[in-house]
Amino acid sequence: MREAYTDQLDSIFSDLVSIARRVERAVHDATESLLTGNVELAEQVISRDAVIDVARERVEDRAFSLLSLQQPVAGDLRTIVAALRMVTELERMGDLAGHVAKVARLRVPAVAVPPSAEPTIRRMAEVAEVMVHEVAGIIENRDIDGAADLRKADEEMDDLRRNSFRELLGSGWEHGVEPAVDVALLGRYYERIADHAVSIANRVIFVVTGEHPPKRDD
């Protein structure tokens, strides 16, 4: 009986890993559509978000079933509650990738990101994608060292966000209001993906150790 229960817990975490991989692909494809103006790819990202939503519902159903039928305590309860929170964050990350794709779709046949802003947005996208990739491994392996290291990538994301704002507010910005709004929103979307990744990593630390990691000084 206990072995079957443990298998169910492990299966929930396996589903979380699978969702994280889907989110990783969504971030990659959304960025590709954004920087190339590929409307077909943008549409695919937007439509595939429903698959992530269904996967989230499946994880929630299984987690609530364990809560009601098994009445877990201590570490097992901590694991299930953390899984419920992680799957919500993963779904939000998928939504944010969809928002990026919607910006891309809105500006077709033009490309939403002006050439001067492209290097910063591209790097933000790269950092976000790497963080999603890393967080999938952190969930899969309960990797608390990797979870702690993820904060370094988040620091780079914060620096990129500040650089983007400086460019938007500087006297050299010559692209008008609409592209400025797009770039500001895109920066926010990628930053939030990174924030969710860090939050998930912190929850893994809590699952493994029973302790919340110290908050980062900003």
Side-chain angles (χ1 to χ4, degrees):
M1 187 71 172
R2 177 66 189 179
E3 183 177 348
Y5 176 47
T6 301
D7 288 345
Q8 288 176 300
L9 283 175
D10 289 342
S11 180
I12 287 175
F13 267 67
S14 294
D15 285 346
L16 292 176
V17 174
S18 177
I19 295 170
R21 299 298 186 204
R22 289 185 180 277
V23 172
E24 180 184 356
R25 181 183 177 191
V27 173
H28 175 84
D29 289 352
T31 300
E32 182 71 16
S33 70
L34 176 71
L35 298 179
T36 64
N38 186 331
V39 68
E40 291 82 8
L41 190 56
E43 293 285 5
Q44 290 175 25
V45 173
I46 295 164
S47 64
R48 289 198 306 255
D49 187 55
V51 178
I52 295 175
D53 293 344
V54 170
R56 184 217 75 216
E57 292 171 1
R58 184 168 60 247
V59 167
E60 288 179 342
D61 288 346
R62 293 170 69 182
F64 285 129
S65 177
L66 285 178
L67 283 172
S68 61
L69 298 177
Q70 301 292 340
Q71 298 181 337
V73 296
D76 289 346
L77 178 61
R78 186 168 70 233
T79 298
I80 295 171
V81 172
L84 284 167
R85 291 177 175 172
M86 284 190 279
V87 76
T88 298
E89 303 222 45
L90 286 167
E91 183 201 22
R92 289 174 181 168
M93 293 161 80
D95 290 341
L96 288 161
H99 293 338
V100 171
K102 288 175 182 178
V103 172
R105 183 178 64 179
L106 182 64
R107 301 307 174 203
V108 170
V111 175
V113 181
S116 66
E118 191 267 347
T120 300
I121 292 296
R122 180 182 293 277
R123 182 57 188 160
M124 292 182 84
E126 290 171 349
V127 172
E129 185 178 343
V130 167
M131 291 180 73
V132 179
H133 177 80
E134 292 295 326
V135 90
I138 289 165
I139 296 169
E140 184 173 26
N141 301 310
R142 313 292 203 276
D143 182 4
I144 60 174
D145 292 332
D149 289 342
L150 205 66
R151 292 187 175 203
K152 297 175 184 177
D154 192 45
E155 289 172 2
E156 181 182 359
M157 180 66 83
D158 291 343
D159 288 341
L160 288 164
R161 179 78 164 137
R162 285 189 286 267
N163 290 341
S164 178
F165 268 123
R166 280 194 290 268
E167 182 178 1
L168 290 174
L169 298 175
S171 59
W173 183 261
E174 300 175 343
H175 307 291
V177 174
E178 192 173 82
V181 171
D182 285 344
V183 170
L185 286 173
L186 290 165
R188 179 59 175 164
Y189 297 153
Y190 286 120
E191 182 186 42
R192 288 300 296 147
I193 289 171
D195 289 343
H196 284 304
V198 171
S199 180
I200 291 169
N202 287 342
R203 295 190 193 285
V204 171
I205 293 174
F206 179 63
V207 166
V208 174
T209 68
E211 297 179 357
H212 291 287
K215 292 183 178 180
R216 198 184 79 190
D217 294 328
D218 293 319

